[in-house]
């Protein structure tokens, strides 16, 4: 798979037909929890007391207490070994609470509606989840870039200096993906999390953390580093180091938005916000939530069953193994071409759905994408799609133009292997046209 000047001509009997779609960030249908759902539905239908019937009615604003209790226990169990960097966790129930949503996008929409006003600023990473920007703009927010040291890595020291030394007004909200970032696959270290959480509290910023991939992780090779704790876990530390008054005044804090989308199934359309109680109160008191009586109570009962029956735990264990093998399959093929590099390859832990591939600087990913689809039938996401500020001609914007996102979750194993091999072949052919 190494470079070869005697490459055969592109296989082009069916031009512009996508044979291998490495673009879409969906789970493969055969990896979805089909047997688990059958077991859950059977349990409901065989319930002689028909206790499930009550979930056909309106539900509590923040979510049914049975689901909230099951979710809290599930997360405590699955994150018990997370690395807090010496921070003592507070388990007295006063530092965070939960609100049930219809997924991460819904959680973001609700937070924008209840915690911001039109004209407020939200600062986001480059690159980032390519559909988040429109949620913020739809709420009238002004979207600006966080200072970045490299694509996917926030320059936290520069951020602190901008606001606390140079007098730049802090934003109302910051949106980040701290664990197994979409699209780069990177994760923030414990120290970075502590520093950013403290900044948010000191400056009255709502640090909204998209942690949908937090539990979908795996160890890589001989690495056995613990997973950094979720950002909400650092609120207590940030309050102690950043000033208690800020939190008491209902200003800066870390907020986690997550869902069952990646750890169970997108079709359940169920997620949660974990945040300090004053944020949960705002969500619960929001007019449309108060009117409708909470989100998806019947599907909430399904997921409560999934947790109580141990099915979510066992399924997630299988899913982590599946994705680790898929990740290693794709990386193994990509690494056979020395001109391709994988940004997350040196991370102590892997996770999520995506691999961020860097091409030589001479390669424009958008132009290569067109060539790849036309001549090889391989589609991927060009880096510029993930850049919310594609017209910025700085170093970050330039670097992103020579990168691509590959999803290893969607295709079946055989098509994933063939698709990645064909991606490499397309690259090797394309690069001869620009050298």
């Amino acid at each position: 798979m190494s470079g070869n000047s005697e490459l055969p001509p592109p296989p082009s009997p069916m031009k512009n037909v996508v044979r291998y779609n490495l673009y879409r960030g969906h789970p493969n249908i055969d990896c979805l929890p089909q047997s688990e759902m059958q077991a859950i539905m059977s349990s409901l239908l065989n319930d002689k007391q028909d206790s499930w019937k009550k979930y056909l009615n309106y539900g509590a604003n923040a979510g049914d207490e049975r689901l909230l209790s099951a979710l809290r226990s599930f997360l405590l169990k699955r994150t018990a070994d997370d690395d807090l960097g010496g921070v003592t966790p507070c388990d007295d129930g006063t530092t965070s609470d939960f609100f049930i949503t219809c997924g991460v996008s819904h959680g973001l929409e609700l937070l924008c509606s209840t915690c911001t006003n039109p004209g407020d600023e939200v600062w986001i990473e480059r690159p980032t989840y390519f559909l988040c920007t429109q949620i913020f703009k739809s709420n009238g927010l002004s979207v600006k870039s966080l200072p970045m040291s490299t694509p996917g890595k926030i320059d936290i020291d520069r951020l602190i200096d901008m606001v606390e030394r140079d007098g730049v007004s802090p934003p109302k909200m910051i949106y980040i993906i701290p664990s197994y970032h979409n699209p780069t696959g990177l994760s923030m270290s414990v120290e970075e999390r502590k520093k950013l959480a403290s900044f948010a509290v000191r400056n009255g910023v709502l640090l909204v953390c998209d942690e949908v991939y937090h539990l979908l992780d795996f160890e890589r090779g001989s690495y056995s580093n613990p997973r950094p704790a979720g950002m909400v876990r650092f609120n207590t530390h940030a309050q102690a180091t950043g000033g208690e008054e800020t939190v008491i005044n209902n200003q800066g804090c870390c907020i986690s938005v997550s869902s069952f989308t990646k750890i169970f199934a997108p079709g359940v359309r169920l997620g949660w916000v974990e945040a300090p109680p004053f944020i949960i109160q705002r969500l619960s008191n929001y007019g449309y939530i108060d009117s409708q009586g909470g989100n998806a109570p019947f599907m909430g009962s399904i997921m409560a069953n999934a947790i109580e029956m141990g099915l979510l735990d066992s399924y997630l264990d299988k899913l982590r193994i599946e994705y680790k093998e898929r990740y290693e399959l794709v990386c193994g093929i990509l690494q056979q071409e020395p001109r391709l590099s994988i940004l997350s390859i040196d991370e102590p832990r892997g996770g999520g759905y995506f691999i961020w591939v860097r091409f030589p600087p001479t390669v424009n990913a958008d132009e290569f994408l067109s060539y790849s689809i036309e001549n090889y039938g391989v589609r991927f996401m060009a880096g510029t799609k993930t850049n919310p500020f594609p017209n910025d001609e700085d170093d970050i914007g330039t670097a992103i133009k020579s990168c691509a996102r590959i999803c290893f979750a969607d295709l079946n194993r055989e098509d994933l292997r063939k698709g990645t091999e064909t991606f490499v072949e397309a690259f090797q052919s394309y690069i001869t046209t620009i050298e």
Side-chain angles (χ1 to χ4, degrees), residues 370-387:
S370 297
Y371 180 90
S372 175
I373 292 175
E374 179 179 0
N375 297 290
Y376 286 83
V378 178
R379 186 185 185 207
F380 55 87
M381 184 175 287
T384 49
K385 183 76 172 178
T386 69
N387 184 4

Side-chain angles (χ1 to χ4, degrees), residues 255-322:
I255 301 169
S256 173
V257 287
S258 193
S259 82
F260 297 106
T261 299
K262 302 300 190 292
I263 63 172
F264 198 68
V268 302
R269 304 310 314 144
L270 207 67
W272 63 89
V273 172
E274 183 180 4
F278 74 88
I279 295 290
I280 302 304
Q281 194 63 44
R282 290 185 192 177
L283 297 174
S284 297
N285 291 341
Y286 187 42
Y288 116 73
I289 294 295
D290 203 29
S291 173
Q292 73 167 13
N295 294 304
F298 183 74
M299 191 52 68
S301 73
I302 298 291
M303 290 313 303
N305 269 298
I307 296 171
E308 291 167 356
M309 296 169 68
L311 294 173
L312 180 57
D313 264 319
S314 59
Y315 173 73
L316 181 54
D317 288 340
K318 291 187 294 185
L319 203 60
R320 293 172 68 197
I321 294 171
E322 173 72 21

Side-chain angles (χ1 to χ4, degrees), residues 218-380:
F218 44 82
E219 294 181 358
R220 296 189 51 248
S222 60
Y223 290 113
S224 59
N225 299 56
R227 175 179 57 208
M231 290 297 298
V232 172
R233 302 279 80 75
F234 296 102
N235 270 332
T236 303
H237 164 79
Q239 180 177 342
T241 59
E244 184 175 350
E245 181 180 353
T246 319
V247 175
I248 291 175
N249 288 337
N250 294 358
Q251 295 180 24
C253 63
C254 300
I255 301 169
S256 173
V257 287
S258 193
S259 82
F260 297 106
T261 299
K262 302 300 190 292
I263 63 172
F264 198 68
V268 302
R269 304 310 314 144
L270 207 67
W272 63 89
V273 172
E274 183 180 4
F278 74 88
I279 295 290
I280 302 304
Q281 194 63 44
R282 290 185 192 177
L283 297 174
S284 297
N285 291 341
Y286 187 42
Y288 116 73
I289 294 295
D290 203 29
S291 173
Q292 73 167 13
N295 294 304
F298 183 74
M299 191 52 68
S301 73
I302 298 291
M303 290 313 303
N305 269 298
I307 296 171
E308 291 167 356
M309 296 169 68
L311 294 173
L312 180 57
D313 264 319
S314 59
Y315 173 73
L316 181 54
D317 288 340
K318 291 187 294 185
L319 203 60
R320 293 172 68 197
I321 294 171
E322 173 72 21
Y323 285 156
K324 177 180 181 179
E325 292 174 354
R326 286 167 166 266
Y327 176 88
E328 291 174 346
L329 170 66
V330 174
C331 287
I333 295 169
L334 295 174
Q335 287 180 299
Q336 294 179 49
E337 169 48 69
R339 291 168 292 186
L340 300 176
S341 62
I342 301 168
L343 183 60
S344 61
I345 199 65
D346 294 323
E347 289 281 292
R349 299 185 71 87
Y353 273 17
F354 306 109
I355 294 172
W356 186 247
V357 181
R358 293 183 292 194
F359 306 119
T362 55
V363 174
N364 181 297
D366 286 294
E367 295 175 0
F368 171 42
L369 174 60
S370 297
Y371 180 90
S372 175
I373 292 175
E374 179 179 0
N375 297 290
Y376 286 83
V378 178
R379 186 185 185 207
F380 55 87

